[in-house]
Amino acid sequence: MPENVAGPADSWWSDAVVYQIYPRSFADSDADGVGDLQGIIERLDYLAELGVDVLWLSPVYPSPHDDNGYDISDYQDIDPLFGTLADFDRLLAGVHERGMKLVMDLVVNHTSDEHSWFTASRDGGPGGPRRDWYVWRPPREGVQPGTPGAEPNNWGSFFSGPAWEYDEASGEYYLHLFSRKQPDLNWDNPEVRQAVYAMMRWWLDRGVDGFRMDVINLISKVPGLPDGPVHGAGRHGDGSAHYVCGPRVHDYLAEMHREVFAGRTRPLLTVGEMPGVTVDEARLFTDPARREVDMVFQFEHVGLDQGPGGKFDVRPLKLTDLKASLGRWQTGLGERGWNSLYFSNHDQPRVVSRFGDDSPAHRDRSAKLIATVLHLHRGTPYVYQGEELGMANAPFTSIDDFRDIESLNHHRDQLALGADETDVLEGLRQRGRDNARTPMQWDATEHGGFTTGTPWIAANPDHKHVNAEAQLADPDSVFHHYRRLIGLRHTEPAVTHGDFSLLHPDHERLYAFTRHHAASATELLVLANFGGDELTVELPDGWEHGDTLVTNVPDPSPLTGRVTLRPWEARVHRRRTA
Ligand code: GLC
């Protein structure tokens, strides 16, 4: 985060590509069925070959793993499941030796209920020294404490049920926006903020290159914690208006910047995960002059295929909606803001199954099309492990195949409400987070070469033909397509800096846009046929003399006044505009 930058496009990360590792599922070196730091160390050459600049590690801190490590019980150590601090230092050195950077996950909206901060807060009772580090409230008056409806307000948690847990010993409730084992910290308490900043400085001093900040726009709650509206049949209210981008969130992030990042000259990266953030808010968060964060993860485009019933209420995606949404973010952040570009992460289903076509006939080509579209936008692209192989959703058949607390709670609660299990499982199969968490597919051997033990979650059986070893050997693979796209971001200034213009916004199958970069007198044209039928497209004027930078078919048709795109064909052309 350089000081005094003119705009985000001047920052070191403007042409960087980030790769997300979900350590639990990446590579297991000690056969306990869970990935670990040594496993990552052994795969660093693979990541260097892909060409990414930054690795983001999902949490590796000590944790009871109620939410796979997003429930942290000690911020300044490594969970023995993953290794030791010494292993971490070796990993960091290996990353740096290869010219890459390492960004840690920072989960500070909440801790684990097994963190010593929380046990002290709970066990000290009302008035105790750490009580005010978390959000404690008395029961609602007139209702028997500990019974439904006695919670201090009506907010539901993201993982089903109320956002409050009753503590019998003190007769009070604590707030947890996520699981009951993830109590929310009270950011209005300056001691909490200082403890978090001290921990962040400790990691930076150790050599890490920044942080991905988990649900960081939820840290400031509206005082009084008012009830939220109740949608549909549930008894829980939607409290989001009272904690999404709450009243002091900008103050807290600016303070964090002053206390943790200011004055550090090493190139660092900060990205805030921000569910529900709007373009206008994101412009404020990412304006370099405000010194809050470098970029944000917004959620609009990954909610477009969701019905009013929430994330498991699956609707077909309308391409026009996706284009309109991403296009609005492209132009809306303007010169003073910066986008993170992602379709995939550990919370989202696999993108080739979601927005592409994972049938054998179209899988590779649609995976490459999706990558081409995303990587040609303006912003910093994020690749989630296995995405670069076109890994697909898992063939889960019963609830026993799932591991994720969100899916298990949803299944339990829906069945209790009388829902049909077939429907519930279908929603989980399409949207469940475990789709992203099946083992990384290294080769065609048992469990995809992820472990020689028993994996904590089953490998996708398609690893027999979809795996890194096969793709490294095939120059036409999805892997090599990603490698070329990543390379292009490093070499073609129009990819990094060009202005974005959406073409044909109302076309239901064609995703088309240009990137114009005046300084290098270059314009790029991206054309993508989102579907299994051919599509004929009239070219805008002046493109007959362009060259072809990227294609996902063996012999793309020549550039004439009109071109015919094959099923799931994507191409990028370039012309000089001098
Ligand atoms: C973020 C994480 C997700 C986690 C949640 C609670 O959304 O990405 O995996 O469950 O925060 O920490």
Side-chain angles (χ1 to χ4, degrees):
M1 188 174 311
E3 302 293 339
N4 304 319
V5 290
D10 300 320
S11 300
W12 71 267
W13 36 254
S14 67
D15 69 350
V17 178
V18 183
Y19 187 94
Q20 183 190 354
I21 295 179
Y22 194 67
R24 170 177 273 277
S25 305
F26 192 64
D28 174 21
S29 73
D30 61 1
D32 66 353
V34 178
D36 46 49
L37 298 182
Q38 178 58 30
I40 301 172
I41 292 172
E42 289 166 17
R43 298 293 180 173
L44 286 178
D45 287 335
Y46 168 86
L47 299 168
E49 174 155 8
L50 182 60
V52 294
D53 306 278
V54 181
L55 307 181
W56 147 30
L57 280 195
S58 277
V60 289
Y61 315 94
S63 165
H65 294 278
D66 190 51
D67 185 20
N68 286 2
Y70 282 89
D71 48 321
I72 297 170
S73 52
D74 181 351
Y75 286 115
Q76 292 177 221
D77 204 349
I78 300 293
D79 195 300
L81 199 58
F82 298 123
T84 62
L85 273 172
D87 294 331
F88 179 83
D89 290 339
R90 284 193 300 117
L91 169 63
L92 187 58
V95 171
H96 287 163
E97 271 162 31
R98 288 167 180 80
M100 298 186 287
K101 299 187 193 302
L102 187 73
V103 161
M104 299 295 275
D105 221 304
L106 179 82
V107 187
V108 290
N109 173 69
H110 44 269
T111 67
S112 164
D113 67 338
E114 298 182 32
H115 195 294
S116 61
W117 295 350
F118 183 76
T119 53
S121 177
R122 184 191 56 208
D123 300 345
R130 286 258 162 98
R131 189 63 164 185
D132 194 38
W133 281 45
Y134 291 82
V135 185
W136 291 97
R137 293 288 183 279
R140 208 179 272 261
E141 270 178 43
V143 190
Q144 174 69 32
T147 65
E151 297 86 8
N153 73 17
N154 73 351
W155 298 355
S157 96
F158 285 100
F159 293 159
S160 306
W164 295 93
E165 182 72 5
Y166 185 53
D167 171 50
E168 240 171 70
S170 66
E172 290 190 329
Y173 284 83
Y174 66 84
L175 177 69
H176 61 88
L177 292 183
F178 293 88
S179 101
R180 68 187 56 175
K181 288 186 66 62
Q182 293 168 299
D184 281 52
L185 281 164
N186 174 18
W187 271 73
D188 295 335
N189 181 339
E191 284 176 17
V192 168
R193 303 202 300 273
Q194 288 304 326
V196 168
Y197 304 152
M199 172 271 282
M200 294 173 74
R201 289 191 293 261
W202 185 85
W203 281 105
L204 291 178
D205 293 344
R206 207 172 184 97
V208 310
D209 304 297
F211 298 97
R212 172 271 185 188
M213 303 175 181
D214 193 69
V215 293
I216 200 69
N217 65 329
L218 309 188
I219 57 177
S220 168
K221 280 85 177 172
V222 168
L225 312 177
D227 282 342
V230 180
H231 310 298
R235 135 180 117 71
H236 302 299
D238 170 7
S240 57
H242 307 303
Y243 54 73
V244 169
C245 297
R248 298 186 63 189
V249 66
H250 291 286
D251 296 342
Y252 294 158
L253 288 179
E255 179 184 77
M256 176 192 283
H257 187 277
R258 284 194 304 276
E259 297 274 336
V260 177
F261 300 105
R264 291 187 190 254
T265 48
R266 222 150 42 84
L268 300 173
L269 175 73
T270 56
V271 48
E273 187 208 24
M274 301 201 178
V277 71
T278 62
V279 181
D280 290 338
E281 281 284 349
R283 200 177 324 113
L284 299 177
F285 283 119
T286 63
D287 180 344
R290 296 172 56 94
R291 291 170 169 50
E292 296 184 27
V293 292
D294 295 331
M295 55 189 98
V296 306
F297 291 128
Q298 55 97 1
F299 280 65
E300 194 178 281
H301 64 301
V302 290
L304 298 172
D305 52 356
Q306 165 180 315
K311 75 174 276 183
F312 295 109
D313 179 11
V314 181
R315 298 293 151 93
L317 174 76
K318 284 173 66 186
L319 187 66
T320 45
D321 290 346
L322 182 66
K323 293 190 290 186
S325 170
L326 289 179
R328 184 156 9 87
W329 280 85
Q330 286 289 293
T331 44
L333 287 191
E335 292 302 308
R336 303 300 303 176
W338 193 255
N339 275 289
S340 303
L341 306 172
Y342 78 96
F343 284 141
S344 308
N345 62 38
H346 65 292
D347 295 329
Q348 301 293 331
R350 291 287 180 178
V351 68
V352 67
S353 306
R354 183 184 197 175
F355 295 162
D357 180 343
D358 62 11
S359 68
H362 296 305
R363 174 183 183 139
D364 282 11
R365 201 184 285 170
S366 67
K368 293 175 189 171
L369 171 143
I370 290 165
T372 306
V373 167
L374 189 73
H375 282 244
L376 266 293
H377 278 76
R378 180 183 158 98
T380 298
Y382 286 71
V383 180
Y384 176 68
Q385 69 184 41
E387 181 189 339
E388 77 281 15
L389 306 175
M391 275 179 64
N393 280 351
F396 297 124
T397 53
S398 97
I399 191 63
D400 299 334
D401 298 332
F402 291 87
R403 297 287 177 274
D404 178 19
I405 181 171
E406 180 187 55
S407 293
L408 300 178
N409 286 357
H410 177 73
H411 178 263
R412 184 198 60 211
D413 289 4
Q414 289 303 303
L415 262 52
L417 289 170
D420 178 51
E421 187 176 18
T422 315
D423 296 341
V424 174
L425 282 176
E426 186 51 28
L428 294 181
R429 220 177 345 257
Q430 291 198 43
R431 283 293 178 275
R433 305 193 296 181
D434 283 325
N435 282 302
R437 302 175 180 186
T438 61
M440 177 71 179
Q441 296 173 195
W442 294 107
D443 58 38
T445 63
E446 202 182 9
H447 313 309
F450 161 70
T451 182
T452 53
T454 305
W456 69 276
I457 187 169
N460 192 322
D462 71 10
H463 69 265
K464 296 266 185 301
H465 54 277
V466 179
N467 62 67
E469 186 179 58
Q471 295 204 13
L472 282 166
D474 172 7
D476 288 331
S477 64
V478 180
F479 176 91
H480 286 292
H481 192 83
Y482 269 87
R483 190 179 53 70
R484 285 189 284 271
L485 289 170
I486 294 163
L488 201 58
R489 184 160 292 269
H490 298 147
T491 54
E492 177 55 68
V495 174
T496 306
H497 300 296
D499 294 332
F500 176 94
S501 306
L502 188 64
L503 306 177
H504 301 290
D506 299 326
H507 201 297
E508 286 168 10
R509 286 250 316 282
L510 177 69
Y511 203 132
F513 56 94
T514 58
R515 302 288 311 283
H516 181 234
H517 186 232
S520 64
T522 310
E523 189 173 25
L524 307 176
L525 171 67
V526 180
L527 299 174
N529 174 14
F530 260 83
D533 298 311
E534 285 194 345
L535 180 66
T536 300
V537 184
E538 297 284 341
L539 282 188
D541 285 343
W543 277 95
E544 295 78 11
H545 303 297
D547 58 353
T548 302
L549 274 188
V550 178
T551 168
N552 66 348
V553 299
D555 46 351
S557 62
L559 262 187
T560 53
R562 54 168 48 191
V563 293
T564 298
L565 299 173
R566 302 225 224 115
W568 295 104
E569 177 174 347
R571 33 162 90 190
V572 182
H573 297 298
R574 174 178 57 185
R575 69 172 179 184
R576 298 292 163 206
T577 56

